[in-house]
Amino acid sequence: KDSFVPLCSGGVVCAPKSRDILVDPGRLIYWLDVEQVEVLHCVPSVFRALINQGLESRYFEAMKCVVMAGEPLYPSDVKRWMDVFGDRIKLFNFYGPTETTITKTCYEVRPEDVEKPTIPIGKPIRGVAMVLVDQHGRPCGVGDVGEIYIRTPYMSLGYYREPELTKEVFIQNPFSHDPTDIVYKTGDYGRLLRDGNFEIVGRRDSQVKIRGLRIELGEIENLLRGHAAVGEVAVV
């Protein structure tokens, strides 16, 4: 997706010559500056690594926006960025599971968001619907926490050779009588704000994100239990 968007809009895909540039924040800053990259799409942990290098306002003169997804975006990081660049470079927070072919909501970050406890994930994009469902299977009202269900024509077909798991999370829309109306249960807990934006508040399981990659803590625990010297284990 990150490659198709610029190509379909008449842009150029910029890729560093070496992976070493990607893992070295200082070199990455220099590369972004020299290559005059206009749109940076990354996970918030990379964004944070750039901030920690001591950015100056003279950097990234060509950059127009930074698009982030895959992890929570923290207000403290946004504040540190805006303290340097103000609103010259726009920040966007995206949300969308792989099962629904990635981006499904979009939020343009505003200066006043630095005072919020979390950065919202925004509103569903065109053609997408999201609903919050409580523990009793009822839709949530404004301000109430529930699991996020996503309805989209761009749904994946399910998990490869995992029919039971597919059946568990790709379900018939509980608010429709049409058996072909399928929604995806994300496992993410969210809240609908009064302005119509959504925010993420947690997970229903122990899954975490590290640099945008899903990590199942239970799988790590099971592996550690297989060691003869381990009696019990908890991974947090």
Side-chain angles (χ1 to χ4, degrees), residues 159-168:
Y159 299 106
Y160 183 61
R161 293 183 176 178
E162 293 281 358
E164 291 304 315
L165 180 57
T166 298
K167 184 179 179 181
E168 179 182 340

Side-chain angles (χ1 to χ4, degrees), residues 14 52 64 149-150 198 200 233:
C14 302
N52 288 338
K64 296 179 179 178
Y149 288 16
I150 296 179
F198 287 80
I200 298 293
V233 59

Side-chain angles (χ1 to χ4, degrees), residues 16-29 31-32:
K17 295 181 180 180
S18 167
R19 178 176 173 80
D20 294 339
I21 296 175
L22 294 175
V23 298
D24 185 329
R27 293 180 65 184
L28 180 57
I29 289 172
W31 178 81
L32 291 168

Side-chain angles (χ1 to χ4, degrees), residues 47 64-68 73 77-79 81-82 86-87 89-93 107-110:
F47 179 70
K64 296 179 179 178
C65 67
V66 179
V67 177
M68 287 168 281
L73 175 61
D77 290 337
V78 171
K79 183 180 186 305
W81 175 273
M82 288 187 170
D87 58 1
I89 302 174
K90 294 183 181 298
L91 301 179
F92 291 91
N93 194 25
Y107 182 76
E108 181 176 349
V109 182
R110 300 169 300 210

Side-chain angles (χ1 to χ4, degrees), residues 45-101:
S45 54
V46 170
F47 179 70
R48 187 177 310 115
L50 298 180
I51 297 171
N52 288 338
Q53 288 297 303
L55 294 176
E56 299 178 19
S57 58
R58 62 184 175 87
Y59 294 155
F60 309 148
E61 290 186 355
M63 191 171 293
K64 296 179 179 178
C65 67
V66 179
V67 177
M68 287 168 281
E71 296 171 338
L73 175 61
Y74 297 116
S76 57
D77 290 337
V78 171
K79 183 180 186 305
R80 293 171 63 196
W81 175 273
M82 288 187 170
D83 284 346
V84 177
F85 299 107
D87 58 1
R88 176 171 69 83
I89 302 174
K90 294 183 181 298
L91 301 179
F92 291 91
N93 194 25
F94 284 4
Y95 166 79
T98 301
E99 289 86 346
T100 60
T101 59

